[in-house]
């Protein structure tokens, strides 16, 4: 898939089939995540691939909008040192690469924001000095999948400013 087509067509997928993701396909997706740029090439991320159903279900309860994780074929938890705001910028890029690669390979994905990080760290054995704030669920989109009606993006004219931020008030 052309990169621009992938960017234009990707949508959050929250309903999945039961089909597992083959290891070689998952590896391609994970390699894309590791290919992301990062500040000073620090590559601060550690990725935990969760496939155990009980763990996925338990994880799905640790964010208020993470029910999609329970039905995913797998989910990838993003772990990183909690030391600098750039780290979160880096993690966002890695997650975006992972999601675009998944989309290219016909696999749907959705971010999940963890609201109870202490419990999530305990569940996945992550030490306290590392943060675990987000997961990405992955799976083949259910035939009944419909993109959320909330989708759509604001236009260039509203979000892009030329040379200076517009005067307020
Ligand atoms: C930082 C971040 C956190 C998100 N957290 C959640 C979440 O907890 N649950 C969820 O269902 N979607 C979550 N999403 C997905 C967004 O809701 C989704 O990307 C957005 O609504 C656009 O949807 P669309 O791809 O269908 O246009 C998150 C996305 C981001 C970038």
């Amino acid at each position: 898939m052309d990169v621009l087509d992938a960017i234009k067509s990707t949508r959050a997928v929250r309903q999945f089939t039961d089909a597992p993701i083959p290891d070689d396909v998952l590896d391609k997706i994970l390699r894309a995540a590791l290919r992301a740029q990062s500040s000073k090439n620090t590559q601060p991320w550690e990725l935990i691939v969760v496939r155990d159903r009980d763990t996925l279900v338990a994880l799905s309860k640790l964010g208020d909008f993470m029910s999609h994780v329970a039905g995913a074929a797998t989910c990838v938890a993003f772990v990183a040192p909690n030391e600098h705001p750039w780290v979160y910028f880096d993690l966002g890029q890695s997650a975006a690469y992972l999601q675009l690669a998944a989309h290219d390979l016909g696999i749907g994905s959705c971010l999940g924001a963890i609201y109870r990080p202490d419990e999530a760290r305990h569940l996945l054995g992550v030490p306290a000095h590392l943060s675990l704030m987000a997961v990405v669920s992955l799976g083949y989109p259910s035939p009944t999948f419909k993109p959320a009606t909330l989708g759509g993006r604001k236009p260039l004219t509203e979000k892009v400013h030329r040379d200076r931020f517009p005067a307020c008030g």
Side-chain angles (χ1 to χ4, degrees), residues 10-34:
T10 192
R11 295 293 309 269
V13 176
R14 299 180 178 87
Q15 298 92 40
F16 306 102
T17 70
D18 291 338
I21 301 173
D23 284 345
D24 60 322
V25 176
L26 187 56
D27 279 0
K28 280 187 190 166
I29 293 170
L30 295 168
R31 284 205 181 89
L34 302 186

Side-chain angles (χ1 to χ4, degrees), residues 10-12 14 65-66 68 110-115 147-148 150-153:
T10 192
R11 295 293 309 269
R14 299 180 178 87
F65 305 98
M66 272 178 45
H68 55 85
C110 186
L111 245 298
I114 293 175
Y115 285 36
L150 217 69
R153 298 295 187 268

